[in-house]
Amino acid sequence: MRAARLSLVLSSCLLPLFWFGCAGGNKNVVVGASIDDDASAPSANIDGGTRDSGNDGMGEAGASGAEVERPPVVDPAVSRALLEKTGEASGSAPLGLRFEIVELGSELPWGFAVVNRGTEAAQIDFDARLLTLEITPPADPKAKPNQKPKKAIVCRLPADVVPSSVDPALAQKLEPGEGLVATFDPRLYCLGKTPAPLIEGARVEPKLGWAPKRKLSWQGGKRQEKPGDQHEPFVAEPVEAKGSLPAKEEASDRRVKELAGSAITLGSDFAKNEHAAPAEIPDPSGLVFSITGGDARDEGAAVATATIANHGKQKQDLYFRRELVTYEVSGPDGVFECDPEPDLRSPDRSAFQTLRPGAKFSAVSRLIEMCPAHSFARPGLYLVHARFDANDAGTQFALHAFTGRLVSENPALVRVREGELPFTPSNGTERIHVGE
């Protein structure tokens, strides 16, 4: 598993390009996805460039007749790990379908797969919007003997994002021995949960589909739960019986409401060291720059809040405009940069902020105004890093304002619920086969 994690780190290069660099990377990757045809949306290549999914893997070299091999959607090591895990899983598997996830650390997307290890073809709604993570917090070592254990936290997408029916574009046929694999970011599903559930020792139980309906009854004063009558939608069903089973058989194993995967326990990668020494102030001035995001209905509502705080012992003057903040975003279609047009206006005295020790100020920006058109057109999770370049000391106003660069240490998480592009890219899934 550690090899799989390392391989994904090397291939995805998710760290911000213009702060840390990436071998062979392009420092100005811009998303220019068409909102009319998902097949024309470029996705990030492993070298930081873009790939046009509509050319069947033929780039510039392809125009001259030489075929260019398209890089895999999911790292091969991750695919192998998932394939092996579906073979090791125990317990019943409806229609022989095995659903599993693998975690790849706290800062990288995880992998999930459904593999048909049965004897008949099945149709699966392979839709990442149907993922649910039931997370049980680790036991508190300081808890009293009679203290009740903590309740599980359910991480799922908002109700207005989860589809109420099977998406025909994502429903795929799996022959025996075939499988599908893709990646997802668990933070997308747990956004806003407090306390943060993805911590060391937490037990994660994954599910894919719609929760089966339960029938409640009382017997002898005790509550009883039994499976109720199940109706569409179904996450999986046998191909030969699709749409042909009588209503009385809908509750049978021939149609599946939900697939459950093996539970995993999060390791030390998710540890939070509460006793670690405070981080060093990144700038001698004492100024610290940070950025926060949030939950947005669509790209028009996606915002980022930039905050500058004075952690030093001296007051600081600072010239600030939103246009002086540059963003780098890692999203569903790759990494791109948002560099607003240079501010050519003469500095105004009112644009200078005075921050006394311990003081801070914040500014909210609509990302659609800062970034290329349609950058946030696809629903999903966007990790937003930012840097601030102060370029005016205010000497014309008899000031000695800070000049230099401040960089956010941690990315902001921005979740976009709806968009003009589908939640899952048309080229976001890899087909795998048992034995390969």
Side-chain angles (χ1 to χ4, degrees):
M1 181 56 63
R2 191 160 192 84
R5 182 174 302 162
L6 176 61
S7 181
L8 182 62
V9 172
L10 294 175
S11 64
S12 60
C13 197
L14 292 175
L15 293 177
L17 300 179
F18 58 60
W19 285 285
F20 304 106
C22 176
N26 183 333
K27 293 187 178 182
N28 189 22
V29 180
V30 177
V31 169
S34 166
I35 63 175
D36 298 320
D37 183 2
D38 180 54
S40 66
S43 56
N45 201 336
I46 57 174
D47 63 358
T50 58
R51 174 176 92 243
D52 186 352
S53 60
N55 63 2
D56 294 328
M58 304 293 286
E60 293 181 0
S64 61
E67 183 175 351
V68 178
E69 184 178 355
R70 179 180 297 176
V73 174
V74 180
D75 187 276
V78 176
S79 297
R80 285 194 298 271
L82 282 164
L83 194 58
E84 292 173 2
K85 192 174 182 181
T86 63
E88 298 167 354
S90 60
S92 61
L95 301 179
L97 297 174
R98 297 282 186 180
F99 161 63
E100 295 292 344
I101 69 170
V102 292
E103 63 90 357
L104 297 162
S106 59
E107 300 296 330
L108 290 174
W110 297 3
F112 77 104
V114 174
V115 178
N116 185 353
R117 289 187 173 271
T119 58
E120 62 178 322
Q123 178 166 290
I124 176 72
D125 186 12
F126 197 67
D127 190 341
R129 292 172 295 179
L130 302 180
L131 285 168
T132 298
L133 304 176
E134 188 172 307
I135 304 174
T136 303
D140 186 354
K142 299 180 181 179
K144 298 178 180 179
N146 60 345
Q147 185 173 336
K148 292 183 178 180
K150 297 178 181 179
K151 292 184 178 180
I153 299 173
V154 178
C155 292
R156 61 165 65 98
L157 294 179
D160 58 349
V161 178
V162 178
S164 58
S165 61
V166 174
D167 187 339
L170 299 176
Q172 300 193 50
K173 179 181 177 181
L174 287 181
E175 296 287 353
E178 287 188 328
L180 296 169
V181 60
T183 60
F184 73 102
D185 196 320
R187 292 170 292 185
L188 174 64
Y189 301 79
C190 294
L191 189 68
K193 299 291 184 181
T194 54
L198 298 171
I199 60 175
E200 183 181 14
R203 186 172 187 268
V204 182
E205 298 179 66
K207 296 178 181 178
L208 179 71
W210 292 271
K213 294 188 179 298
R214 309 289 293 179
K215 182 183 297 184
L216 302 179
S217 62
W218 293 85
Q219 294 181 0
K222 295 184 178 180
R223 174 173 167 167
Q224 304 287 334
E225 281 193 15
K226 297 180 180 179
D229 295 333
Q230 308 300 324
H231 303 282
E232 292 185 346
F234 296 95
V235 72
E237 58 184 318
V239 169
E240 63 179 13
K242 184 179 184 306
S244 63
L245 290 179
K248 66 179 181 180
E249 292 188 26
E250 287 190 342
S252 72
D253 291 339
R254 302 297 290 162
R255 285 175 170 167
V256 184
K257 289 290 289 185
E258 188 175 62
L259 295 171
S262 304
I264 61 174
T265 300
L266 303 183
S268 59
D269 285 345
F270 296 84
K272 294 183 178 180
N273 190 352
E274 299 177 353
H275 305 290
E280 295 183 2
I281 297 175
D283 191 273
S285 67
L287 297 177
V288 175
F289 179 55
S290 61
I291 183 171
T292 57
D295 198 7
R297 182 174 183 83
D298 53 34
E299 66 173 338
V303 299
T305 302
T307 299
I308 298 180
N310 186 358
H311 290 187
K313 298 181 179 180
Q314 305 292 329
K315 78 175 183 69
Q316 290 285 342
D317 294 318
L318 182 73
Y319 175 65
F320 180 87
R321 289 194 186 279
R322 294 186 310 152
E323 294 81 1
L324 299 177
V325 178
T326 302
Y327 303 94
E328 187 189 68
V329 184
S330 175
D333 291 307
V335 179
F336 58 92
E337 181 179 327
C338 305
D339 189 5
E341 293 295 325
D343 187 2
L344 301 179
R345 292 174 290 176
S346 298
D348 186 85
R349 179 63 180 85
S350 62
F352 284 86
Q353 305 282 338
T354 298
L355 293 178
R356 299 191 178 280
K360 63 181 179 181
F361 80 94
S362 299
V364 180
S365 297
R366 293 180 67 213
L367 292 172
I368 196 173
E369 298 174 356
M370 302 288 121
C371 299
H374 313 306
S375 294
F376 298 85
R378 190 182 303 283
L381 187 68
Y382 294 81
L383 276 66
V384 183
H385 280 270
R387 74 168 185 242
F388 168 69
D389 292 294
N391 57 10
D392 199 297
T395 53
Q396 64 273 44
F397 302 111
L399 298 174
H400 298 283
F402 167 82
T403 57
R405 172 174 292 181
L406 300 174
V407 177
S408 62
E409 180 179 357
N410 298 310
L413 302 182
V414 177
R415 181 170 67 188
V416 177
R417 298 189 183 191
E418 301 176 0
E420 297 170 277
L421 294 175
F423 182 89
T424 303
S426 60
N427 61 347
T429 300
E430 194 87 29
R431 189 170 288 265
I432 55 179
H433 298 82
V434 174
E436 287 188 354

